Amino acid sequence: MNNIDNQEVFNTSKKTRQQQKFLAVINLLLAAVSVTLLIVIITKILPLFEKEEQPENKTSHIIQVEVLNGCGTAGLADKFTDLLRSKKFDVVKTGNFASFDIDNSFVIDRVGNKEFAYSLADSIGIPKSNVIQQFNRNYYLDVTLVIGKDFNNLLNQ
C-alpha cells in the first residue's frame, strides 16, 4: 500500500507541475495582452494632448478658394494668394470682383459648408459676420474671398 501511495503522490505532484506550467503560460499571455493594450491606449491618447501645428485650416478637407480683388489695388489678389497658400489653403482662381468699391472684405460660402468659410475668415482676421452663403453649382471651389479696402488690416495678421 505504501507503494501505491507513493505513486499517487508522484502522479499528483506531476499534475501539479503541469498545472503550474499551464498557469505560468496563461499569465505570460495575459501580461503580453495587457502590455499591448496599454501601448495602444497610450498611442491613441497622447496625440490628443499635442498642439495643432496648422490651426489655420481646422478641417481635414483642403479648402479650395477663389480670391477676388474688390478694391482695385493692383496685385492684391496675388498677395492674398501667397498668404492663403502659406496657411494651407488651395487657391484655385484669382481675379477681380464685379466692382472695386468694397469697403470690408468678406467670404462667400459656395458649397453650403460654413465651416470652410469660417476657417478661411478666422485665418486672416475677417469677422464671422462677414461670411455669407451664396451657393453656385457651377463653381468647383469651396469659398470665395472678396478683398475690400480694409486689406491692410488683413495682411498684418
Side-chain angles (χ1 to χ4, degrees):
M1 193 139 153
N2 207 2
N3 198 13
I4 294 174
D5 288 339
N6 285 340
Q7 185 108 21
E8 285 179 30
V9 169
F10 179 73
N11 286 340
T12 305
S13 66
K14 189 175 181 183
K15 286 181 185 178
T16 304
R17 275 191 233 126
Q18 287 176 342
Q19 288 173 345
Q20 287 175 344
K21 285 181 183 178
F22 177 74
L23 289 175
V25 169
I26 294 295
N27 282 335
L28 284 174
L29 287 174
L30 286 174
V33 168
S34 297
V35 168
T36 303
L37 285 174
L38 186 62
I39 290 170
V40 168
I41 289 170
I42 288 172
T43 57
K44 295 291 181 183
I45 290 176
L46 280 181
L48 297 176
F49 295 106
E50 293 177 5
K51 291 184 179 178
E52 262 185 52
E53 291 189 17
Q54 298 295 337
E56 295 88 9
N57 185 349
K58 296 176 182 145
T59 66
S60 60
H61 172 79
I62 297 175
I63 299 170
Q64 293 184 322
V65 181
E66 172 185 41
V67 178
L68 300 178
N69 186 340
C71 68
T73 302
L76 205 52
D78 291 334
K79 286 182 184 179
F80 273 88
T81 295
D82 294 340
L83 174 67
L84 292 174
R85 285 183 176 158
S86 74
K87 295 178 179 276
K88 308 300 182 204
F89 291 94
D90 182 18
V91 179
V92 295
K93 184 178 176 186
T94 61
N96 291 323
F97 192 60
S99 68
F100 289 139
D101 62 348
I102 304 300
D103 291 324
N104 296 311
S105 301
F106 61 95
V107 178
I108 305 170
D109 167 24
R110 298 289 189 186
V111 294
N113 188 338
K114 269 195 165 177
E115 288 306 311
F116 293 162
Y118 287 150
S119 180
L120 182 127
D122 287 343
S123 73
I124 59 174
I126 293 176
K128 287 185 178 183
S129 60
N130 287 10
V131 173
I132 61 171
Q133 287 185 309
Q134 195 175 65
F135 306 119
N136 188 336
R137 295 188 191 275
N138 296 325
Y139 277 43
Y140 293 101
L141 49 92
D142 300 311
V143 297
T144 298
L145 168 64
V146 179
I147 305 163
K149 294 175 184 171
D150 63 345
F151 68 87
N152 279 324
N153 298 335
L154 306 177
L155 286 173
N156 295 329
Q157 290 285 327

